[in-house]
Amino acid sequence: QVQFVESGGGLVQPGGSLRLSCAASGSIFSISALGWFRQSPGKQRDLVASATSEGHTYYADSVKGRFTISRDNAKNTVYLQMNSLKYEDTAVYYCNADIGTGWGYVDWGQGTQVTVSS
């Protein structure tokens, strides 16, 4: 069973940048879609960005123009480049996959904490 491990989070100032990595234990070549989610205290886990095997991408309005999702099939890794970070980007970030039946292909892991603070 494929598992994902998130990394790359940290403490940054507003306007700063981070690149998150989601490393898969197996091949992601045939996975229909990979996505990044985030959840802040007291809030629901929401989809931030996704990338399909066909090259289509999606971004939540709140991050559009600032975040970029990419997938490297050779490295079995999906990335989330986050620029111009804002306080409201503070959250735990998770990755998951959709094989055609909806998100939640793997069990939700620990994620990686992103904290934007001055």
Side-chain angles (χ1 to χ4, degrees):
Q1 183 73 15
V2 173
Q3 289 190 307
F4 297 154
V5 178
E6 302 92 343
S7 63
L11 175 65
V12 297
Q13 295 183 347
S17 298
L18 285 173
R19 188 171 84 152
L20 307 184
S21 297
C22 174
S25 61
S27 175
I28 63 170
F29 183 79
S30 61
I31 294 178
S32 297
L34 295 161
W36 282 98
F37 299 75
R38 68 185 181 188
Q39 185 174 34
S40 55
K43 295 185 177 180
Q44 178 179 282
R45 182 188 292 118
D46 292 322
L47 178 65
V48 175
S50 65
T52 72
S53 59
E54 301 296 327
H56 300 295
T57 57
Y58 161 85
Y59 298 95
D61 288 341
S62 59
V63 307
K64 192 172 297 183
R66 300 187 297 117
F67 291 10
T68 303
I69 187 171
S70 61
R71 53 192 291 173
D72 188 333
N73 292 331
K75 296 181 179 179
N76 295 325
T77 302
V78 60
Y79 303 97
L80 185 67
Q81 178 66 47
M82 306 185 296
N83 299 324
S84 302
L85 284 162
K86 303 175 180 179
Y87 173 80
E88 53 263 41
D89 296 319
T90 296
V92 178
Y93 286 71
Y94 306 86
C95 59
N96 217 306
D98 179 2
I99 61 169
T101 58
W103 298 106
Y105 177 63
V106 302
D107 292 338
W108 297 101
Q110 294 297 311
T112 185
Q113 176 72 50
V114 172
T115 302
V116 183
S117 177
S118 60

